[in-house]
Amino acid sequence: MKTAKDYLDEANAVVKKIDFADAIGKHNSKSAIFIDVRDSGDIANTGTITDALKIQRGLIEFVADEATKLYNDALKKDSEIILVCGAGGQAALTGKTLIDMGYTNVSNVGAIGDWEKNGGPMSK
């Protein structure tokens, strides 16, 4: 039987971690799609990365699958996607899901609070 730690370990093994300086550079150049996977209440309380898509972890399979009505056509299998969440775990798990779905360039920037502390652009 798997534990939460097992799932996180598996996710962290396949989803690369991107450092804040690199991620901020990609944000500034608009060369990557940023996705905040937290729920809307958390995002409303803290704000999120400027121009980030807001896609809750529980919906990612539907929003990332071209065969569903919820598909977001901003998501392409070869797009660079950088994920953020409250602490990093949900972003890693979401990243693994995207990789399992055929997305090829997925990174985890970690916690939204650390993004903000490192000078990452934020908006409400």
Side-chain angles (χ1 to χ4, degrees), residues 36 38 43 46-50 52 54 84 112 121-124:
D36 190 329
R38 298 175 298 148
I43 292 171
T46 64
T48 191
I49 296 171
T50 302
K54 299 166 193 87
V84 68
I112 192 69
M122 294 285 293
S123 62
K124 284 284 182 178

Side-chain angles (χ1 to χ4, degrees), residues 13-107:
V14 297
V15 180
K16 65 186 170 195
K17 184 79 165 146
I18 187 169
D19 70 48
F20 293 104
D22 287 345
I24 291 168
K26 291 175 183 294
H27 185 273
N28 291 341
S29 68
K30 301 197 182 308
S31 65
I33 297 168
F34 286 78
I35 303 175
D36 190 329
V37 301
R38 298 175 298 148
D39 69 40
S40 58
D42 288 340
I43 292 171
N45 287 335
T46 64
T48 191
I49 296 171
T50 302
D51 299 324
L53 298 177
K54 299 166 193 87
I55 305 171
Q56 291 180 22
R57 180 173 174 251
L59 292 176
I60 198 69
E61 291 88 344
F62 302 101
V63 177
D65 184 346
E66 296 171 353
T68 70
K69 292 180 182 180
L70 293 177
Y71 175 66
N72 184 327
D73 62 6
L75 303 179
K76 305 293 182 218
K77 300 282 186 189
D78 62 348
S79 296
E80 183 167 13
I81 297 173
I82 301 174
L83 303 164
V84 68
C85 66
Q90 287 184 14
L93 293 167
T94 302
K96 182 170 183 316
T97 298
L98 289 172
I99 290 168
D100 289 347
M101 293 178 74
Y103 286 80
T104 59
N105 194 1
V106 181
S107 300

Side-chain angles (χ1 to χ4, degrees), residues 2-16 57 88-94 96 99 108:
K2 285 187 177 182
T3 66
K5 182 183 181 318
D6 294 330
Y7 283 105
L8 279 173
D9 289 346
E10 288 175 9
N12 285 320
V14 297
V15 180
K16 65 186 170 195
R57 180 173 174 251
Q90 287 184 14
L93 293 167
T94 302
K96 182 170 183 316
I99 290 168
N108 176 4

